[in-house]
Amino acid sequence: MEVVLQNLTKKFPGRDKKNREDVIAVNDFTFEIPDGKLIGLLGPSGCGKSTTLHLISGLQKPTSGRIFFGEDDVTQLPPEHRGIGLVFQNYALYPHLNVKQNIMFPLQNLKGKDKLSKDEMSKKALEAAKLVQIEELMSRKPGELSGGQQQRVAIARALVKMPKVLLLDEPLSNLDARLRLQTREEIRRIQKATKITTIFVTHDQEEAMSISDMIVVMKEGVVQQIGKPQEVYDNPANLFVARFLGTPPINVFDGEIKGSKLYIGQDAVLDIKGSADREVHVGIRPEGFVLKEDGPLCCQLSGVEVMGRDISVVSTHAASLNPTVRSIIGTDNRVDGSQEKVRFALLPRKVFLFDKQTQERIDFDV
Ligand code: ADP
Ligand code: MG
């Protein structure tokens, strides 16, 4: 099912006594979610992710704008008629019901021609349980399950009616690191097997990048960029997006274009064609640094961390806006940790320039 959001806006009345201004949780959000894809809705806490999901589910009504499921305008349709499955961070299982009863629960209220017999309900519950591989746990109560198992039950319950759209709100936040990794792969597998259009909300960029067909990056209710994860990483629209994606995060410096050269402090780090002289922010991905004895960027070495797969060189630079400059280099490099200084050349496609005022990306040629 294709989902279309048209100029979707949600305002909440300001309750703060000193500030009666409305909170604009979602601001003019327009986006087409293609049928059968998994979309990662990504942004820091409070940026409007859950509100967007609540609008799509019908739990909240937009202040303005419209929502379409395929051809149908569902903006005014109550949640139970939208054909959605919802999974929240805190599972929200019924503690007194066993796993099977929890999964069957959404089927019990079906009326009229949709009404199911006990046997049909059992069969559907088992199918959903098999999808998330918990069919041996059917008679347990939620209190007798681990966090990961409880979340699988919640996912099975969301799937049991075979929804047209699956909405997941930070479903992995309560799991430990290893389970989080495993469960996110599981969600991807289930999504591919069922081809249900899925919107996955998270504040964790790595999570969103790893499983999404497309990511939507939000900040303060406003969409910043939409695209395939790698495309957004390689071509961030602005400094916020560049900073939000990637671990370790992008290194940001104060810089200046002067006489067709890009300067970071006193260091002329790149030749730049046809750009007027101006001040800029320079973003350099950690993998954009190349160790080079006579390299143009000169940093004060703080330490070298050998991480197994690669080496992380930690240094400082007077023009850096981050407390440290973090660069990642291959393990075939040798860095003498006792050196005072370390010099780098830069890979131009890993270097981004941003306007100092608007923070929008500036294109350049080398
Ligand atoms: P996220 O899920 O990205 O953390 P939310 O969508 O929950 O963000 O919230 C977005 C903004 O809207 C926040 O500033 C939040 O305080 C505000 N907000 C959310 N729900 C309500 C509400 N029911 N009443 C007033 N403000 C709300
Ligand atoms: Mg939220």
Side-chain angles (χ1 to χ4, degrees), residues 12-13 15 23 25 43-52 60 169-170 201:
F12 294 108
R15 292 199 210 288
V23 177
S45 181
C47 74
K49 305 180 296 293
S50 293
T51 305
T52 304
Q60 289 176 347
D169 195 352
E170 312 232 14
V201 161

Side-chain angles (χ1 to χ4, degrees), residues 5 44 62 80 90 99 145 167 169 175 192 197 238 247 257 286 366:
L5 312 180
E80 60 273 22
N90 57 359
V99 168
L145 300 174
L167 305 172
D169 195 352
L175 307 180
K192 281 198 161 150
T197 307
N238 57 40
T247 42
I257 301 171
V366 290

